[in-house]
Amino acid sequence: MSAEKEKQFTELLARYKASIWRVCYAYLPDRSFAEDVFQDILVELWKSMGRFRAESGWHTFIYRIAVNTAISHGRRETRRPVDFSEKTVEVADTAMAESQDKEQLHRRLHTCIAQLPEQDRLVVSLLLEELSYQEIADVTGLTVSNVGVRINRIKPRLHACITSGI
């Protein structure tokens, strides 16, 4: 391990840690799964740093790693059987712990985002990270105009989901 690589990794982590967490929560609202994915993303970032070619910014590179890792983890998790009794307890505990309207709205938004198709979830997550349409297009492989169209279609769906109280 070179000291230079370790220093660069530490700097990247300090700068993008919160963004990586938000990608994890966008894909996996369950905190324990999100923590697992966060660790996997850090490992993938460490292993991939040597492949960074500066054709885009570090943020695009890191988002792509985060998204790919989260998608891959999410697919593995959907194949595992779900214990609903555990989920019921977790939801009840979460509902009791939330007392502020703002926090409830935040959770509702993330629940609604989690219900979106995978590609739309990615676009919204990156939009919430305040990436430009061009940067979102760079990460997703979509065209800039397609990013705009998707965002315009996603907004009313999210609004309907949030106002329905799901």
Side-chain angles (χ1 to χ4, degrees):
M1 168 180 354
S2 76
E4 184 178 323
K5 182 179 178 181
E6 186 175 342
K7 180 182 177 210
Q8 185 179 32
F9 180 81
T10 302
E11 290 171 0
L12 289 171
L13 184 58
R15 185 169 182 181
Y16 296 107
K17 182 179 181 179
S19 299
I20 294 170
W21 270 115
R22 285 188 287 272
V23 169
C24 293
Y25 284 124
Y27 278 91
L28 302 154
D30 183 296
R31 186 169 181 83
S32 64
F33 291 148
E35 289 172 356
D36 290 346
V37 171
F38 182 79
Q39 294 298 321
D40 290 349
I41 290 168
L42 297 186
V43 170
E44 287 302 317
L45 175 60
W46 177 262
K47 292 188 320 191
S48 303
M49 286 176 61
R51 294 194 309 256
F52 179 70
R53 294 179 292 190
E55 293 173 353
S56 61
W58 273 108
H59 65 284
T60 303
F61 184 76
I62 291 170
Y63 279 118
R64 193 67 249 169
I65 290 171
V67 166
N68 287 343
T69 305
I71 289 171
S72 178
H73 191 86
R75 287 182 181 146
R76 281 193 310 263
E77 289 305 319
T78 58
R79 292 185 201 130
R80 288 186 0 182
V82 177
D83 180 358
F84 289 104
S85 61
E86 211 174 279
K87 294 291 178 190
T88 304
V89 171
E90 182 178 312
V91 169
D93 289 345
T94 301
M96 289 172 44
E98 295 175 349
S99 61
Q100 298 180 355
D101 290 343
K102 186 176 179 182
E103 186 174 331
Q104 289 176 347
L105 181 60
H106 185 258
R107 289 190 182 270
R108 188 175 300 151
L109 173 62
H110 280 279
T111 300
C112 292
I113 290 171
Q115 295 172 3
L116 292 172
E118 191 173 284
Q119 188 77 47
D120 292 346
R121 222 171 32 233
L122 172 59
V123 169
V124 169
S125 300
L126 297 174
L127 184 66
L128 292 174
E129 290 295 316
E130 300 181 357
L131 267 63
S132 69
Y133 284 17
Q134 181 62 58
E135 291 169 323
I136 294 171
D138 291 344
V139 171
T140 61
L142 298 170
T143 64
V144 173
S145 62
N146 195 311
V147 169
V149 168
R150 282 181 183 263
I151 289 170
N152 284 331
R153 291 179 181 164
I154 292 168
K155 284 178 182 176
R157 289 182 7 222
L158 285 178
H159 184 265
C161 179
I162 290 170
T163 55
S164 71
I166 293 175

